[in-house]
Amino acid sequence: MDNIVFRYHPDPVATGAFEVTAGEVCDCCGKVTTLCYRNPFFSGEDVECLCPQCIADGSAAEKFDGCFQDSENAGDVDDPDGSKMMELTARTLGYCGWQQEYWYAHCGDYCAYLGGVLWDDIVRMGLEKELEENYDEEICGFDFDTLRGNINGHLQGYLFRCLTCGKHFLYVDCD
């Protein structure tokens, strides 16, 4: 991904947002790419593969009149000119949730998506206490005690980190 950085999705290969392929043609630019995006892209067009460049520069969203994240399912940010929302919806790879994906915001900006997590991952990273303190039951619909040990099958966790203060946040949905 030569010099392409996604502010709100910093490691899209590790999160699985890009599938590494032997080489496929990007539906937007027509060039062969070894990184193919297949996660949610909301468009009336049938799009099979998008390359990192076409996502990062917004050309995929523009060409196919689409978006990568539903603007109604994202936290509130300080965004008087709409540039943060545009970056999130038109130039940031989404993630694949079981229900409706939600994008966390904190400190006036969207958070970075770090990937899906199971309960054992949370414990291994030492984030249990921090996530409990920052957990928003209204957004997720579950109380935190229900999550303990149960993000491993019917519940799935999605981890975010604030780009300003570094706090972690957990979104949870179920199958």
Side-chain angles (χ1 to χ4, degrees):
M1 290 191 334
D2 304 332
N3 301 324
I4 296 176
V5 176
F6 295 96
R7 176 174 169 80
Y8 301 130
H9 198 143
D11 197 351
V13 174
T15 66
F18 278 124
E19 178 183 325
V20 179
T21 71
E24 291 189 41
V25 175
C26 172
D27 291 330
C28 184
C29 67
K31 295 178 183 173
V32 174
T33 181
T34 57
L35 293 176
C36 192
Y37 177 79
R38 300 188 203 280
N39 274 355
F41 181 64
F42 307 101
S43 169
E45 303 288 327
D46 186 23
V47 178
E48 295 294 321
C49 177
L50 294 173
C51 73
Q53 184 62 51
C54 289
I55 295 169
D57 68 13
S59 58
E62 184 177 340
K63 179 176 182 173
F64 298 112
D65 191 26
C67 64
F68 296 93
Q69 173 64 36
D70 178 2
S71 62
E72 297 298 315
N73 288 299
D76 294 327
V77 298
D78 299 328
D79 194 18
D81 65 356
S83 62
K84 292 176 184 176
M85 178 60 74
M86 183 59 70
E87 183 173 351
L88 179 69
T89 60
R91 295 188 304 274
T92 299
L93 305 94
Y95 69 94
C96 205
W98 285 343
Q99 303 291 326
Q100 176 63 53
E101 296 84 10
Y102 179 82
W103 209 282
Y104 261 93
H106 194 256
C107 292
D109 199 359
Y110 295 111
C111 294
Y113 175 67
L114 302 181
V117 291
L118 301 174
W119 188 258
D120 289 346
D121 300 324
I122 292 168
V123 171
R124 182 179 38 75
M125 290 185 274
L127 293 175
E128 182 179 359
K129 183 175 172 49
E130 180 183 352
L131 291 174
E132 182 175 16
E133 290 171 1
N134 298 330
Y135 186 72
D136 190 331
E137 186 178 324
E138 285 186 37
I139 291 173
C140 298
F142 302 95
D143 65 79
F144 196 81
D145 285 335
T146 300
L147 306 180
R148 292 183 196 282
N150 290 319
I151 301 176
N152 59 12
H154 296 290
L155 291 175
Q156 174 63 51
Y158 307 95
L159 187 62
F160 292 84
R161 183 186 66 241
C162 178
L163 294 171
T164 302
C165 72
K167 288 183 181 179
H168 290 88
F169 299 89
L170 182 68
Y171 177 64
V172 178
D173 71 359
C174 62
D175 62 359

